[in-house]
Structure formats: structure tokens, C-alpha cells
Amino acid sequence: MAAVTEDQVREALSAVNDPEIKRPITELGMVDTITITDEAITVRLLLTVAGCPLKDTLNRDVTAAVAKAAPAHLVTVDMGVMTEEQRKAMQEHLRGGRAEREIPFAQPGSLTKVYAIASGKGGVGKSSVTVNLALAMARSGLKVGIVDADIYGHSIPDMLGLGDQRPTQVEEMIMPVPAAEGMKVISIGMLKPRKDQVVAWRGPMLDRALVQMLADVYWGDLDALFLDLPPGTGDMAISLGQHLPGAEVIVVTTPQQAAAQVAERAGTMASMMHQRVVGVIENMSYLQLPSGERMEIFGSGGADEVASKLSSRLGYEVDVLGRVPLEENFREGGDSGDPIVGADPSAPSAVVLQGIADALSGRQRGLAGMQLGLSPAGRL
């Protein structure tokens, strides 16, 4: 039997990522000891918390990695738990020396595109649009996160089929819940003691919740972050503008005039907070009949009206990004936790949403609201 060294085993384990943090377990200090005999290898693995929800995944991945490097040995994984000092060391490593409660997406040099999905009123399908746009980008190979910032009407976890999953906390750092296509998700619904608990918060508490979901969560490197905002122009929209002035706003409306008039306010609020409105999405735009005819159940022209008025008011072109048809499968995907973009990519609504996501991800990031990290030069 060929001799196997500890260095070879550690090299094999360096290919195993923690399923929540998405970093090698060797880098995170999770590999404690490695015991090698003539016939067996035992890996002592330190979990971040005793009740780690993905310990079975870690067990399987570690066993497979070591068995591949040492196929003639019996592999055993012995699981322990990190001490407080070890967790703090890992937290410091992940933060990269940054100060606590620092929002990474607001820092100069951040390459993450932040999209705030807003609407003037509820019931226009804003959350459904958020979930499907995020999933569409993730299916294209991008690293995507979602913040369910709709404090009173949080529905993102259910729309992604996450059930009662809760984030893991490592000291003061929160690990987002993994979702389809490698997406990372956090919602106020995941942070409540009980799922059915009513959230009755006002300004300061809402602001604190937003900062916690942005700063205390370990997001890692993201290409795009989506925030599902509450409808209207209240406290959360103001807090977002203060903490993430570089976020780009997408306004969701339906074709009817009443919804369009209210939707304009969401775009105007973004401008007041020095954020850029990148476009308007018209949801429930029409119903495609078997004959090929389009039935405009909720009227027509809403998105065009919003885009036109915002363009005039804001002084730059605001486009209609797309018109999502009214489809039963689109609604069913939200109820079942299997969004249409993933469940049926060829469906008309999925094709439109994928097209919008591709167009957004292909855009160059604007400079509006960005901190460039420049300081005035001294006089010569």
C-alpha cells in the first residue's frame, strides 16, 4: 500500500469548499487534525456551530476528496465545533481586516452591481420579478445575492422554495442561506424567532434591519445583488438611498394607469436619493390567447407612461426594459418555490425575464452615486 502523507491529504481537502461560505475548509481553519495509519485516515473537522445544517454535505465532500487521494484507505470524518477564539479568527479572516458593520457594496472599488427593485404599490409582482431576474443572472454563470428588504411582506424565501431554512451565525457574522444556482439569500423572515411573527417596526428599526442584512451578512464576492424593496416611498427606500447611493433602481408596474401613476413616485424617490433609475418593467402586460391574439386585461401603456415621465423628470433616458406576459405558470412557480426562469426557460415570461437579465448584466456600471475614493490634491 502506497504511503500517504498529511500534506497530500490537506492538498486534497483544499478543494473542498464550505457549502455556506464557499471558501476552502483548509483556508477557514476547519481542518483540525489528520490521523493516518496503514489502513485508515481520520480527518478531524471543526464546524462553525454545533447545529450546522450542512454537516452531512461536508461529511460527504470531505470523504470523497480524501478517498480520491488515498483510494486504498478507509476514510472517517470526526466532527467537532470551533471554539469562540477560532470562530473570531475565521470572522476576522473573512472580513479581510475591514471594520465591523461596514457595507461592502458601498465601498469605493466595489464591483458588485446592486439592483433595487421598487414599485409604487403592492400587487404588481415585484417580488416575482426580483426572484426571476436574480435566477436568470445566476443561470448565466454570475454570482448573485438577494436581500428580501420587503420587511412587512417578505416572500422571497417561499418563492425560492427555502421553507423554514435559517442562516447560520458565526459570532457577529451571518451566513446567507444558499439557494438555486448558487444564489445567496437573506430575508427578515429568516431572522425572526417565529415565521408567523408580525413585524411592527418603524424608521430606526427598519434602518437597523437593512444594515444588518447588508453589513453583518458574509456575502463574499458577488457580481450582482438584488434588493426586493417594500412598495412605496417609505423608510426603507430612504435608508437604502443613504446606505447604498450607488444602487440602480428598477421600477415594476402593471399596464393600468392607476399603477403607473403611483410607480412614478418610486422612480422620483430614487432620484431624490441620488440613485439612477435604469428602467421600467411592465408585469402582467398581456394574456396570450391560443389564437395568437394578445388580450390586454389590465389595459396598456403603463410602462411607457412611467418611462416617459421619468425620462423628462430625471433628465436622462429611462427605458422600458421588457413586458412580462400574464401566465399561469409564472404565478405557479412563485407558489411552488420553482421560479419560471428555472422551471420552464422556454415559457414566454421566462424568455422576457432572461432577456432583461442578460441586458442588465451586459451594461456598464454607471458612476451615479459611486464613491470613487478620491481626495483633493494639495496646491502646488
Side-chain angles (χ1 to χ4, degrees):
M1 185 181 297
V4 179
T5 66
E6 181 174 334
D7 287 343
Q8 289 174 320
V9 175
R10 287 191 178 273
E11 179 66 26
L13 290 173
S14 68
V16 178
N17 285 343
D18 179 272
E20 290 182 300
I21 307 176
K22 308 298 183 185
R23 299 278 282 274
I25 59 175
T26 50
E27 177 186 319
L28 298 174
M30 296 175 67
V31 179
D32 187 15
T33 59
I34 298 171
T35 303
I36 304 174
T37 66
D38 291 340
E39 298 179 349
I41 297 175
T42 300
V43 177
R44 171 75 171 172
L45 192 67
L46 300 179
L47 302 175
T48 53
V49 291
C52 177
L54 296 173
K55 61 182 178 181
D56 290 340
T57 301
L58 279 167
N59 192 343
R60 184 183 64 247
D61 292 349
V62 168
T63 301
V66 178
K68 185 177 180 180
H73 286 70
L74 174 67
V75 180
T76 302
V77 180
D78 177 26
M79 292 194 175
V81 181
M82 284 184 171
T83 64
E84 182 179 348
E85 291 73 19
Q86 288 169 324
R87 284 194 295 270
K88 286 182 177 179
M90 188 181 77
Q91 176 182 326
E92 184 177 346
H93 172 71
L94 290 175
R95 288 190 185 279
R98 295 194 306 269
E100 293 188 13
R101 301 193 71 80
E102 182 179 87
I103 298 175
F105 314 110
Q107 303 309 306
S110 172
L111 299 179
T112 303
K113 293 183 178 180
V114 180
Y115 299 105
I117 313 300
S119 68
K121 62 191 293 292
V124 300
K126 169 180 52 62
S127 297
S128 296
V129 168
T130 301
V131 163
N132 280 280
L133 286 180
L135 182 58
M137 283 196 184
R139 283 171 56 85
S140 298
L142 300 181
K143 297 176 182 177
V144 180
I146 304 178
V147 173
D148 187 359
D150 192 346
I151 299 297
Y152 306 119
H154 41 272
S155 56
I156 298 295
D158 289 336
M159 288 187 169
L160 286 170
L162 299 178
D164 295 329
Q165 292 188 49
R166 299 178 67 83
T168 301
Q169 185 164 350
V170 180
E171 295 303 308
E172 300 300 319
M173 185 175 288
I174 301 170
M175 301 301 158
V177 173
E181 300 291 341
M183 291 191 298
K184 300 177 180 179
V185 182
I186 199 71
S187 168
I188 194 64
M190 297 172 175
L191 304 176
K192 296 187 302 180
R194 301 192 323 274
K195 187 175 182 180
D196 61 348
Q197 181 179 343
V198 175
V199 178
W201 296 342
R202 300 191 69 181
M205 286 292 289
L206 294 176
D207 183 81
R208 189 179 307 169
L210 180 64
V211 171
Q212 182 180 33
M213 291 190 289
L214 292 171
D216 292 349
V217 172
Y218 175 71
W219 292 103
D221 295 324
L222 294 181
D223 296 304
L225 178 70
F226 286 83
L227 292 98
D228 183 29
L229 298 181
T233 56
D235 292 325
M236 191 57 78
I238 296 172
S239 292
L240 177 68
Q242 293 172 337
H243 295 298
L244 282 178
E248 299 182 305
V249 176
I250 297 172
V251 178
V252 179
T253 186
T254 55
Q256 62 196 97
Q257 297 304 306
Q261 292 170 6
V262 179
E264 294 170 27
R265 301 172 194 166
T268 303
M269 169 62 79
S271 176
M272 291 171 60
M273 302 309 297
H274 307 291
Q275 295 167 321
R276 187 174 185 85
V277 180
V278 296
V280 180
I281 295 177
E282 186 175 87
N283 194 29
M284 301 181 242
S285 187
Y286 58 86
L287 175 65
Q288 187 80 47
L289 300 178
S291 64
E293 180 184 356
R294 292 184 175 185
M295 179 182 292
E296 297 175 336
I297 296 178
F298 296 108
S300 62
D304 293 303
E305 178 180 336
V306 174
S308 175
K309 289 188 176 180
L310 287 178
S311 296
S312 175
R313 187 172 301 165
L314 304 182
Y316 56 83
E317 192 67 25
V318 176
D319 296 323
V320 176
L321 300 176
R323 306 174 200 278
V324 184
L326 183 63
E327 287 183 321
E328 186 176 9
N329 289 347
F330 188 19
R331 189 270 307 165
E332 288 177 344
D335 290 341
S336 66
D338 193 8
I340 188 70
V341 166
D344 186 5
S346 63
S349 57
V351 171
V352 172
L353 288 160
Q354 185 68 58
I356 296 172
D358 292 343
L360 288 172
S361 59
R363 291 174 54 254
Q364 291 296 317
R365 170 71 167 81
L367 295 181
M370 282 194 71
Q371 300 180 38
L372 300 182
L374 302 178
S375 57
R379 292 185 177 181
L380 296 177

